Amino acid sequence: MAQPMKIIDLLLKQELLRPEEAERATKEAARVGQPLEIVLVKSGYVTEEDIANTKASLLGVPYVDLNNYRLDRALVKLVPESIVKKYNVIPLFTTGNSLSIGMVDPHNIIAIDQVRAVTNFDVVDPVLVSLGGFQKAYNAYYHSYGSVAEIVKSIEKEKAPAAQGTILGEITERTSISKLVDSLLSQAVQSRASDIHIEPEESIVAVRFRVDGLLSQITTFPSEILNPVVSRIKILAGLDITENRKPQDGKIHTELEGKDLDIRVSTFPTLFGENVVLRLLDKRAMLPNLAELGFSKEILECFTRMIARPFGIILVTGPTGSGKTTTLYSALSKINAEQKNIVTIEDPVEYVIPRIRQTQVNPKAGITFANGLRGFLRQDPDTMMVGEIRDRETVEVAIQASLTGHLVFSTLHTNDASSALTRLIDMGIEPFLISSSVIGILAQRLVRVNCLKCRESYALPHAVLQSVGLPEGVQLMRGKGCSKCDQTGFMGRIGIFEFLTLNDEIKAMVDNKRSAMDIKKKAIEQGMKTLRQDGLDKVQQGLTPLEEVLRVTEIE
């Protein structure tokens, strides 16, 4: 190992440390009997990473700062947590059949041999990391991500006393049960998951995360642990742990992995126990502006003009999870001004926007979408947003509001923009009221975005390109998978859109109860891009692979 004075000499040479600081630290280290390196860091003269980087130079080994390093989860799974924790080592990357591992002590031959034995790599190369960097990486990738199995084992050991009469409330307070729930939450945040599904089966419980819109199984645990886990979640969410025959809804507020989370909890009885779904909402997440949602230039300009109108109804349509609420919030933020009174009725409120009065549906208190809208009309509003149109009564109040000089935003669950018009007619609304109040309909879907770090070109047969309307020779792009994107090839999502404006011709077709298909054909003739066409534009821009667009759009 390098001698402390050699480290100081190099720190001085690199001008990371001043001579007077070196002298004071040396005297203090001798006085308190602590290593000089620790005193240098505690005194604030240098950082722990400065020390590690300098030590790496003296030892002739590479150095990596783990504070901002993203590990490859596939490699993380190769090295057991017991070895990582015992020897302060962590797998970093591979080159051919060589594995590079971060080590606090790169001279620990026993640790290197242990890693070589469990990973079957021919060569294991040491890379120096700081102790603080190692601990941060360990907490992020092992303590939470890889500890579920160990926690389950510890719970298994507790089953014997539990079987002898331990009440359910005591079981849920066990450290191991709490750790298991905390571990799942922490892992979900690190994986960028929007939802956690805890799904009981006959002999096991499966845990799945929804990341970028798609579910994938993360882990399983024995069915015997389901009830304590569900009860622990219920306690955190303020739900009744003695009730397992009826659905329950609650909320958990917590800070985790640097995020301020509101977690919506839903429990539902099934054949093998209660199914739990947790929706994770980051309260500190920045609300994207309209330009960041994925609008083409033409749709963005048209939609921006539309939301500046003084009255009328603007609908956003699409299935659950297609980003409708985010689009509405971004639109409201765009027009939010001191001169306007903007009010919303939502189920639930997902983002808090300054200067906008937001109300949450509460059926027990008599607050429904329809009642909320009626109440808003007495609050001198300029703009109103109702989270979803679910029934005729809500539509009628929204139409009344729009015809009396208010701008109303809402959502519908329809496959495309034109179908929203026929859906309103099916609800019993007179066609002339629809054509008089609805001014624009935005249909949308979300597609996963290629990871920029591992994005590469790929080719498809000409016949496939021709069948979807892509030109021959177009450069297609997709992510191959890397540590940054957890080997998925994707990082985040973006919207694809079609925007239908109700001009005189479209209004006449509504009045005459023409079909959604006829209205769509006329809108396309007038220049409307469909969801599929907007998606293909993003494919040609290299933002997403063709398969993503085909997955979320219908054949036209």
Side-chain angles (χ1 to χ4, degrees):
M1 293 292 292
Q3 295 300 313
M5 283 307 297
K6 290 184 179 180
I7 290 178
I8 280 193
D9 290 342
L10 191 51
L11 289 170
L12 289 168
K13 183 178 180 180
Q14 295 173 337
E15 296 184 351
L16 295 172
L17 185 69
R18 296 199 299 260
E20 59 272 23
E21 293 172 339
E23 184 179 351
R24 284 198 296 268
T26 302
K27 291 180 180 177
E28 180 66 12
R31 187 181 70 82
V32 299
Q34 284 187 328
L36 180 57
E37 297 170 20
I38 294 177
V39 174
L40 286 169
V41 173
K42 281 186 175 180
S43 301
Y45 298 147
V46 294
T47 67
E48 190 177 9
E49 299 307 322
D50 290 333
I51 294 287
N53 197 3
T54 303
K55 187 182 291 184
S57 298
L58 292 171
L59 296 176
V61 297
Y63 157 78
V64 168
D65 183 351
L66 289 181
N67 288 289
N68 297 303
Y69 193 88
R70 191 177 182 90
L71 298 182
D72 185 335
R73 292 202 185 276
L75 292 180
V76 166
K77 295 177 182 179
L78 288 180
V79 184
E81 183 178 9
S82 57
I83 292 178
V84 171
K85 190 175 182 180
K86 181 177 181 179
Y87 297 109
N88 287 356
V89 300
I90 201 157
L92 300 179
F93 54 87
T94 61
T95 307
N97 203 32
S98 172
L99 171 66
S100 293
I101 59 171
M103 304 183 68
V104 175
D105 179 7
H107 283 171
N108 192 331
I109 304 300
I110 296 176
I112 294 174
D113 288 340
Q114 287 284 321
V115 172
R116 185 184 294 113
V118 298
T119 61
N120 292 322
F121 276 89
D122 293 337
V123 179
V124 175
D125 294 322
V127 174
L128 193 137
V129 298
S130 70
L131 179 60
F134 163 80
Q135 289 172 338
K136 182 176 181 180
Y138 170 77
N139 288 334
Y141 289 88
Y142 279 94
H143 180 64
S144 57
Y145 185 86
S147 62
V148 172
E150 292 189 8
I151 295 172
V152 170
K153 286 180 182 178
S154 69
I155 295 172
E156 289 286 310
K157 294 177 181 178
E158 297 174 10
K159 283 169 62 179
Q164 296 172 10
T166 303
I167 63 172
L168 187 60
E170 291 174 346
I171 295 175
T172 60
E173 289 302 324
R174 288 184 189 155
T175 302
S176 51
I177 290 291
S178 299
K179 278 185 177 181
L180 178 57
V181 173
D182 292 346
S183 177
L184 291 174
L185 291 174
S186 181
Q187 181 179 342
V189 172
Q190 293 165 19
S191 301
R192 300 181 296 108
S194 60
D195 302 84
I196 303 173
H197 289 238
I198 301 175
E199 303 168 331
E201 299 176 12
E202 188 169 6
S203 59
I204 64 167
V205 178
V207 179
R208 295 195 291 170
F209 289 173
R210 187 179 296 279
V211 180
D212 290 337
L214 296 184
L215 282 168
S216 61
Q217 183 165 304
I218 300 301
T219 189
T220 62
F221 54 82
S223 57
E224 293 89 347
I225 302 176
L226 174 65
N227 287 340
V229 168
V230 173
S231 294
R232 176 61 183 165
I233 293 171
K234 284 183 176 181
I235 289 171
L236 294 174
L239 302 179
D240 184 356
I241 66 171
T242 65
E243 178 58 73
N244 57 17
R245 296 170 299 175
K246 296 179 182 178
Q248 295 190 66
D249 295 302
K251 181 185 288 187
I252 301 170
H253 178 77
T254 185
E255 289 198 14
L256 196 64
E257 303 291 334
K259 297 180 183 294
D260 186 6
L261 295 178
D262 269 339
I263 303 173
R264 285 157 43 190
V265 178
S266 171
T267 67
F268 199 92
T270 70
L271 184 62
F272 298 115
E274 288 184 276
N275 195 86
V276 182
V277 176
L278 300 97
R279 167 66 58 87
L280 280 61
L281 300 170
D282 183 1
K283 295 181 67 176
R284 295 175 187 164
M286 294 293 293
L287 186 66
N289 60 49
L290 287 177
E292 297 170 333
L293 296 179
F295 287 113
S296 66
K297 181 180 178 182
E298 296 78 15
I299 293 180
L300 179 60
E301 290 177 353
C302 188
F303 188 65
T304 302
R305 287 196 303 270
M306 191 71 68
I307 65 176
R309 297 269 289 271
F311 56 85
I313 296 176
I314 297 174
L315 297 174
V316 181
T317 77
T320 300
S322 59
K324 301 186 298 295
T325 302
T326 299
T327 297
L328 287 177
Y329 276 129
S330 298
L332 292 178
S333 296
K334 176 72 174 178
I335 63 175
N336 192 10
E338 183 180 349
Q339 297 78 18
K340 289 186 177 181
N341 180 23
I342 302 176
V343 293
T344 74
I345 176 75
E346 307 170 53
D347 184 22
V349 174
E350 294 188 13
Y351 293 93
V352 176
I353 307 176
R355 208 164 41 218
I356 293 180
R357 308 280 78 77
Q358 296 172 264
T359 303
Q360 191 158 297
V361 167
N362 186 350
K364 292 181 180 179
I367 302 177
T368 64
F369 283 132
N371 290 341
L373 276 177
R374 284 198 183 92
F376 285 158
L377 289 173
R378 296 187 291 272
Q379 290 283 308
D380 186 31
D382 296 293
T383 302
M384 296 185 286
M385 190 265 274
V386 54
E388 183 183 343
I389 289 178
R390 295 175 179 171
D391 51 45
R392 177 176 176 174
E393 183 183 11
T394 305
V395 183
E396 289 175 340
V397 179
I399 289 174
Q400 176 191 352
S402 69
L403 295 178
T404 54
H406 304 89
L407 183 64
V408 181
F409 293 89
S410 192
T411 69
L412 266 178
H413 290 281
T414 62
N415 290 329
D416 57 18
S418 57
S419 297
L421 298 168
T422 53
R423 173 66 60 82
L424 295 177
I425 293 175
D426 291 341
M427 286 182 175
I429 306 301
E430 290 293 336
F432 76 91
L433 289 175
I434 298 171
S435 61
S436 300
S437 57
V438 178
I439 58 177
I441 304 170
L442 182 76
Q444 69 178 73
R445 300 287 189 278
L446 292 176
V447 295
R448 293 179 292 174
V449 177
N450 288 325
C451 173
L452 294 178
K453 184 177 179 181
C454 63
R455 187 176 63 169
E456 62 182 10
S457 61
Y458 72 107
L460 287 174
H462 173 64
V464 175
L465 298 177
Q466 191 176 38
S467 68
V468 297
L470 285 175
E472 186 175 4
V474 64
Q475 186 179 37
L476 304 177
M477 305 292 290
R478 66 182 171 199
K480 64 179 180 180
C482 65
S483 59
K484 183 178 181 182
C485 61
D486 284 344
Q487 308 302 321
T488 64
F490 298 101
M491 198 70 178
R493 292 186 289 176
I494 196 171
I496 59 174
F497 305 91
E498 69 178 36
F499 188 48
L500 173 64
T501 58
L502 272 74
N503 55 29
D504 291 340
E505 286 187 80
I506 301 296
K507 289 180 179 180
M509 296 181 76
V510 174
D511 289 339
N512 293 323
K513 295 187 177 181
R514 297 286 291 275
S515 70
M517 184 60 69
D518 288 342
I519 293 173
K520 185 173 186 175
K521 287 180 179 178
K522 175 58 69 175
I524 292 173
E525 288 176 10
Q526 296 174 348
M528 183 188 78
K529 278 192 173 182
T530 65
L531 286 165
R532 171 69 64 86
Q533 290 168 336
D534 190 49
L536 293 179
D537 286 346
K538 291 178 171 62
V539 169
Q540 295 187 73
Q541 295 166 23
L543 294 174
T544 190
L546 175 61
E547 296 83 352
E548 270 296 289
V549 174
L550 299 181
R551 178 177 65 84
V552 301
T553 60
E554 295 181 324
I555 298 175
E556 297 171 353

